[in-house]
Amino acid sequence: MTTTPTASAATIRRADPADAAVVAGMVAEISAHEDQAAHVHVDDAQWRVLLERPEVIVLLAECDGEPVGYVSALRQLHLWSRGDVLALDDLYVRPGHRDAGVGRRLMAALAGLAAPEQLLIRWGMEVDNLDAQRFYRRLGATLRPKVLAAWPPTAYADHATSS
């Protein structure tokens, strides 16, 4: 009988440039899981550069030294409040480590980074991802329906004007 590691066995730490391959690997895993792999264009070398930037936050969860999940966020200016927010990009826990509290620990660690400055953490999720919605509600997050728009260069090229 195999046992799922407990969240208390996981350590959480901020990723640094030496973790680029690990982060790139898990990003590939989550993008494949979401059928979005064709949209990932960041390689290990580019992750090394990104992980040097202070506004790029990637927290890794490890069990027995092995990476089992991550949460990524970007600190960015929020124009309405004149302050910053943490825009959560991904929360991912590898199969075999899910339902053990690792995601909750990652979110708590992100909250720990936001708390000293009382930063709002915000994110989006697919409307049909009911498991994620239940998870975030249990954390106390407020879920509001909103349509997310994306305007790729191929779509706006005919509308672009030079200044």
Side-chain angles (χ1 to χ4, degrees), residues 19-156:
D19 297 306
V22 168
V23 173
M26 284 196 283
V27 168
E29 290 172 28
I30 190 174
S31 67
H33 174 74
E34 295 177 352
D35 199 26
Q36 298 292 316
H39 301 287
V40 176
H41 305 290
V42 181
D43 62 21
D44 293 9
Q46 293 162 325
W47 267 111
R48 276 191 288 283
V49 173
L50 289 172
L51 290 169
E52 290 176 354
R53 295 174 60 167
E55 72 274 18
V56 174
I57 299 163
V58 177
L59 302 177
L60 293 176
E62 298 173 324
C63 287
D64 298 323
E66 292 298 316
V68 298
Y70 76 97
V71 64
S72 58
L74 184 64
R75 184 177 176 138
Q76 57 190 163
L77 176 63
H78 184 255
L79 295 173
W80 286 14
S81 68
R82 295 181 309 161
D84 288 352
V85 298
L86 289 184
L88 190 153
D89 189 49
D90 287 323
L91 173 63
Y92 176 68
V93 177
R94 285 182 160 156
H97 298 276
R98 295 178 183 156
D99 298 321
V102 174
R104 180 178 286 274
R105 292 271 317 278
L106 283 163
M107 291 298 288
L110 187 64
L113 291 177
E117 297 179 66
Q118 296 292 287
L119 300 177
L120 174 70
I121 303 172
R122 65 180 180 184
W123 63 94
M125 72 200 85
E126 296 296 330
V127 70
D128 62 347
N129 191 343
L130 300 179
D131 290 336
Q133 291 175 36
R134 276 191 298 275
F135 172 77
Y136 293 127
R137 277 192 182 102
R138 284 193 308 264
L139 291 177
T142 302
L143 303 183
R144 294 182 302 142
K146 194 171 187 179
V147 174
L148 179 64
W151 202 15
T154 55
Y156 66 67

